[in-house]
Amino acid sequence: MKRARSRRINRKLRALPHERLLAQLYPRFIPSDPALLKAFGYGPRSVPGLLEVLALDLPETVDMLTADSLSDLGEITALRDRAFQNLRAVRVDRHKVVKDKDGSHFDVLTGGSYFIASLALVLDEVVRRYTKDAPAPDGILVTLPHRHQLAFHVIRDRSVAPHCTPWPGSPPWASSSHRAR
């Protein structure tokens, strides 16, 4: 089954003119399941539990490209650079600021593109574009509900997540034992 799919993808790759193929290349997240590492181990682990891989956006499907599929297309760094260039041009159909009674808020981006969630890979640029603000040194809280949506909150203080358990290396205010002075 996997070999048949790989052959089908390779046929598609050979049928497309190289420039058109490059124009349809995007980075995408997939689970970093150990069973997937052989085929997709070339992808950086930019987020815990996820791999960044290259995908080909075709009219009828989106195919994740394996290391074997990429071997004939060019150097991985150049392919990845082009995929990121394409990602930066992805159209967001809607930007909504969802506010809570306490004043906290999330920016939510949605769109028809299968790569809206992948915009998390260029999050600093996204934050500047949609909030007109620079990311804070305390980080950004991000959620990827599905491939057509990205939600984020630039952390300015503890108010957005007072009950969250901090990750190792979190800023001091994230600790429940930290008290404002």
Side-chain angles (χ1 to χ4, degrees):
M1 179 82 130
K2 289 180 183 178
R3 287 188 183 163
R5 180 176 165 81
S6 181
R7 283 193 300 270
R8 181 179 53 81
I9 292 170
N10 286 334
R11 277 195 307 274
K12 287 179 185 180
L13 294 176
R14 285 191 297 276
L16 284 174
H18 192 68
E19 188 53 40
R20 183 166 169 222
L21 184 142
L22 293 176
Q24 294 173 243
L25 200 58
Y26 293 88
R28 188 166 184 190
F29 287 121
I30 63 169
S32 61
D33 183 328
L36 298 174
L37 289 178
K38 182 176 181 191
F40 298 105
Y42 68 87
R45 288 161 186 80
S46 50
V47 177
L50 298 174
L51 286 175
E52 172 200 319
V53 300
L54 296 179
L56 187 61
D57 187 14
L58 299 169
E60 69 281 355
T61 185
V62 173
D63 288 324
M64 267 45 72
L65 302 176
T66 64
D68 291 342
S69 300
L70 292 172
S71 61
D72 295 333
L73 299 181
E75 202 270 316
I76 187 72
T77 303
L79 294 171
R80 191 169 176 267
D81 289 347
R82 181 60 184 267
F84 271 79
Q85 178 184 340
N86 296 341
L87 179 64
R88 287 178 175 94
V90 163
R91 187 173 139 239
V92 170
D93 297 329
R94 185 170 184 214
H95 170 221
K96 182 178 181 180
V97 178
V98 178
K99 295 183 180 182
D100 197 1
K101 292 178 276 187
D102 66 4
S104 62
H105 70 278
F106 267 83
D107 288 82
V108 181
L109 307 179
T110 57
S113 169
Y114 284 92
F115 302 99
I116 298 295
S118 297
L119 288 169
L121 290 163
V122 290
L123 196 57
D124 286 355
E125 296 170 33
V126 168
V127 167
R128 283 186 189 92
R129 183 181 314 154
Y130 291 97
T131 68
K132 308 296 186 228
D133 206 357
D138 293 324
I140 303 169
L141 184 59
V142 178
T143 181
L144 309 172
H146 53 81
R147 62 187 173 205
H148 296 285
Q149 187 174 63
L150 167 69
F152 63 91
H153 173 82
V154 179
I155 300 172
R156 302 273 176 228
D157 57 33
R158 190 184 157 120
S159 66
V160 74
H163 305 291
C164 291
T165 303
W167 286 43
S170 296
W173 59 261
S175 169
S176 59
S177 63
H178 177 75
R179 302 283 181 251
R181 299 183 201 278

